[in-house]
Amino acid sequence: MRTIPSILAVLATCTALLGCCRPPPCLSGACPEVGNPTPDEMFRLVRRELERSESATPLVGAHILEQLPWLFPDVSNLPDAPRCRTDLVDAASAATFDETPITFSRLLLGRIRAVGNVQSSTDVMYAKADYLRRLAEIDDASLSDYQFSPGETGPAPPKWIVRYAALAMLLRFGALMRDEEPLFRRLQTSTDDRAAWLAHDSVMSDLGMSISRTPWHRIDDVVKALFFSWLPDMKRRLKGPPDPLSLEIVLQRMLPLGVFSTKLGVTDEARKILESVIAARGEFPLTRGIPGAARDLTVIARFALFDLENPRDSNSVRTLLPSPARKVFRLDEAWLGDPAPARPPTDAVAARMRDLEGELRELKFSHGRCHVLREQAIWVLPGDADRLFDRMVAPLSPGGKVAFSDEAFCRMRAAIGIRGASESKRVGLVLRWLRAEPTDIAEWDPTGDDTSARMGPDTNKKRVKRLAALVLSENLEWIERHAELRAWLAEQAQRRNPSTGRAEHGPVGEELHIAYERLLAFHASGHPEASIEVGRAILRAWIEGHALTSRARAMSPPTIPRS
């Protein structure tokens, strides 16, 4: 009989020990401190932003909440790291599922995005997946009618937005296999085009692994069967009515045909589909009435057929493709923005901007300051946009040079993101960074560097041009509207190495490739400011440079492999 009390005592001791060893809370109780300046500053910022998300109007509060996971400092190297991720998922779960029916509102979408943005570390990935999966499978009856917040107007968004927003977040950072397998089985016969479009990247990841994975996993047969189902489905879609989403699904699947069909023994079936698309020049019932669709379908089919006829060991699908001629349909726009037309009350926006100004005066490290700068660009009132732009870029020219620091990169990106600011100012900033040579760039400024970083900062000055090229690739419409930008791009596109004569598009030629394509399309468009001669000069430089490169390679002695 003494055994039972002994066991109970042991269990009590273990429970107490486990409770003592559990990581401390992050979003409740005393604000965490780990003794390192940068993480400690971020913990304090997290708590202030959490309080604001709870006290602000729903439109503002939901946005603050969904950004919160990006602020959690990485202190995973500590044995007692505060449990920020699990706290957030637990709080979201309680706030969502404790209501019957679940309240459908902007705040619910904010919780879904917040949980989706949580890093899927081992301590939280199952709770995160469970939360998102429950909402991805929810039926309309379990959701209330849409609850409008101050500043929102009709019409009410459809309830399916909740399911697909949750499914998108579930798949975004790699779903657990236990969630993927039933989804992939369902998609073999399902007509749910939204789920098919969302699941594509996950299917590609598992399909690549299924070909070479050891040991075998039961999901391998499921994902292969799903791939086989694509062949008749693509034929059906091509003969179906014009539909932007169905077109995107066909285009998604066409390149994988070229990579995986031979590996999976369906080469002939895939070739027939690709050759039929090329022979018809993309003209199918599916593409009628969708400008540029036939051209894009043909181009992708040609790439896929080349890959089919030139098989590689790699399972990777090409990603560098010509710019699309069609307007790409993005299904996720339905749930990535505000679910209903919204304009937050002016006083709520003004209060948010005051809070952000206060944070900028308080924060010392770039991690938190960058968050504040991005938020300012989002919330600034249109009448204040130019003034905010000028304030943001003022520190970017120390001594007449281009500033070089983590905060400088954040200020540049944030300033470009102020949509209400003068476009000519934003283009001018990008051009200045594109033109900057190493001597035009200041030395690295370590002010605000992360004190907890395990690696030092990247102080390669090419980062300045690369960031500017990336920003330009996100704003290609500027090329049609700004002659100075076109002139600079045309000059870069025709650059040659002075000693060899080969094409040399500068240190960020690859990053500017998409901008060069847009420039060529402009000069071939017949626009009053377009010049066929400029376009021809660019193509001539590329062709002649390529010929010189090919000739040099042909004349070079063969490489003798080392024994």
Side-chain angles (χ1 to χ4, degrees):
M1 295 296 293
R2 294 180 182 176
T3 306
I4 293 176
S6 299
I7 293 175
L8 292 176
V10 170
L11 288 174
T13 303
C14 290
T15 303
L17 287 172
L18 288 172
C20 291
C21 296
R22 191 182 184 207
C26 173
L27 304 183
S28 61
C31 186
E33 288 188 8
V34 296
N36 192 308
T38 302
D40 287 348
E41 180 176 88
M42 292 307 299
F43 284 126
R44 293 191 293 272
L45 176 60
V46 164
R47 295 295 285 271
R48 291 194 294 269
E49 287 288 78
L50 178 63
E51 291 173 5
R52 290 169 187 141
S53 75
E54 294 169 346
S55 61
T57 63
L59 281 179
V60 177
H63 172 85
I64 297 173
L65 176 64
E66 61 200 31
Q67 300 302 312
L68 212 58
W70 303 119
L71 303 182
F72 295 159
D74 180 10
V75 289
S76 55
N77 59 311
L78 301 178
D80 57 346
R83 54 179 191 267
C84 299
R85 302 183 186 104
T86 52
D87 280 4
L88 188 145
V89 174
D90 290 347
S93 184
T96 300
F97 299 117
D98 285 355
E99 299 176 325
T100 305
I102 293 170
T103 302
F104 179 26
S105 66
R106 175 66 181 86
L107 192 54
L108 176 61
L109 269 293
R111 292 190 196 112
I112 292 171
R113 293 173 191 165
V115 172
N117 288 335
V118 167
Q119 182 184 344
S120 295
S121 51
T122 53
D123 59 328
V124 74
M125 62 183 183
Y126 289 104
K128 170 183 173 178
D130 287 343
Y131 176 86
L132 295 171
R133 187 181 63 255
R134 288 178 68 180
L135 289 172
E137 296 173 352
I138 201 167
D139 56 71
D140 286 359
S142 299
L143 293 168
S144 74
D145 292 334
Y146 189 76
Q147 305 299 300
F148 288 92
S149 305
E152 285 185 304
T153 58
K159 293 182 179 181
W160 59 255
I161 281 180
V162 172
R163 289 191 290 276
Y164 293 107
L167 180 60
M169 286 298 183
L170 183 63
L171 297 170
R172 183 178 180 184
F173 295 113
L176 304 174
M177 283 187 183
R178 69 175 190 185
D179 298 318
E180 288 182 331
E181 186 177 343
L183 173 63
F184 292 171
R185 288 187 189 279
R186 192 166 65 248
L187 288 177
Q188 291 177 34
T189 56
S190 171
T191 57
D192 188 348
D193 284 359
R194 297 186 187 104
W197 183 84
L198 283 171
H200 181 78
D201 288 345
S202 293
V203 173
M204 286 293 92
S205 175
D206 280 310
L207 187 60
M209 289 190 290
S210 71
I211 292 174
S212 56
R213 177 164 23 215
T214 303
W216 168 88
H217 191 283
R218 66 185 183 183
I219 201 174
D220 296 345
D221 290 340
V222 176
V223 75
K224 288 176 184 176
L226 179 56
F227 177 80
F228 295 143
S229 74
W230 287 358
L231 297 165
D233 184 67
M234 289 174 71
K235 294 178 184 178
R236 176 187 65 81
R237 290 179 185 277
L238 289 169
K239 296 175 183 177
D243 178 73
L245 179 54
S246 191
L247 171 65
E248 296 301 330
I249 291 172
V250 170
L251 289 167
Q252 273 184 335
R253 295 173 176 178
M254 197 159 281
L255 284 172
L257 287 189
V259 175
F260 294 105
S261 295
T262 299
K263 293 177 170 68
L264 296 174
V266 288
T267 305
D268 292 342
E269 295 93 325
R271 181 180 283 109
K272 287 177 184 176
I273 293 176
L274 298 174
E275 289 179 344
S276 69
V277 170
I278 295 168
R281 296 186 177 182
E283 296 290 347
F284 289 91
L286 174 64
T287 59
R288 287 175 192 156
I290 304 178
R295 178 265 190 188
D296 288 350
L297 197 61
T298 306
V299 168
I300 300 301
R302 289 186 183 278
F303 277 112
L305 185 60
F306 177 87
D307 291 339
L308 187 73
E309 294 176 343
N310 298 273
R312 296 170 288 125
D313 292 336
S314 171
N315 293 329
S316 60
V317 176
R318 66 173 71 238
T319 56
L320 185 60
L321 298 167
S323 300
R326 74 192 185 284
K327 185 181 186 299
V328 178
F329 178 74
R330 295 290 310 182
L331 174 66
D332 50 4
E333 289 177 357
W335 56 78
L336 287 179
D338 290 316
R343 178 174 294 178
T346 302
D347 58 342
V349 175
R352 178 63 175 155
M353 288 298 287
R354 286 195 298 273
D355 288 339
L356 294 171
E357 286 290 348
E359 291 291 359
L360 213 52
R361 291 191 293 270
E362 174 78 17
L363 296 169
K364 296 180 174 62
F365 297 102
S366 58
H367 189 173
R369 293 177 64 82
C370 287
H371 165 74
V372 171
L373 291 165
R374 289 191 297 267
E375 289 289 290
Q376 285 184 316
I378 291 170
W379 292 107
V380 63
L381 292 168
D384 296 330
D386 274 323
R387 286 191 292 274
L388 178 62
F389 180 92
D390 292 341
R391 289 204 309 273
M392 273 198 185
V393 303
L396 297 183
S397 303
K401 295 196 171 189
V402 173
F404 190 37
S405 66
D406 279 339
E407 182 166 328
F409 294 134
C410 295
R411 283 183 173 274
M412 192 270 197
R413 287 301 300 263
I416 296 299
I418 303 175
R419 295 300 174 184
S422 163
E423 187 173 278
S424 61
K425 286 184 176 181
R426 292 187 286 145
V427 172
L429 176 60
V430 171
L431 263 175
R432 182 167 185 242
W433 281 44
L434 284 171
R435 287 169 169 156
E437 299 301 331
T439 54
D440 303 320
I441 301 170
E443 295 306 311
W444 180 260
D445 180 1
T447 305
D449 281 0
D450 188 348
T451 58
S452 65
R454 291 155 203 163
M455 295 178 62
D458 180 358
T459 57
N460 187 336
K461 291 186 176 182
K462 287 183 180 178
R463 290 179 64 194
V464 170
K465 283 181 182 284
R466 287 191 184 122
L467 176 58
L470 174 62
V471 169
L472 178 57
S473 73
E474 296 167 350
N475 297 275
L476 292 173
E477 67 281 0
W478 290 349
I479 294 171
E480 285 89 359
R481 298 199 285 262
H482 295 272
E484 185 180 4
L485 178 58
R486 290 197 300 273
W488 183 85
L489 284 170
E491 178 186 352
Q492 296 300 303
Q494 297 175 70
R495 281 181 60 171
R496 298 192 187 191
N497 186 302
S499 59
T500 65
R502 299 177 197 171
E504 186 181 81
H505 307 317
V508 287
E510 184 175 335
E511 291 88 342
L512 288 173
H513 182 80
I514 191 172
Y516 293 149
E517 280 191 7
R518 188 71 168 246
L519 179 67
L520 287 170
F522 172 81
H523 284 303
S525 68
H527 187 279
E529 297 180 22
S531 168
I532 288 291
E533 288 307 313
V534 172
R536 285 175 178 166
I538 293 171
L539 290 175
R540 191 179 302 116
W542 290 1
I543 293 168
E544 291 174 358
H546 179 71
L548 286 168
T549 301
S550 300
R551 194 176 305 131
R553 286 175 179 166
M555 295 176 64
S556 61
T559 302
I560 301 174
R562 294 180 179 178
S563 57

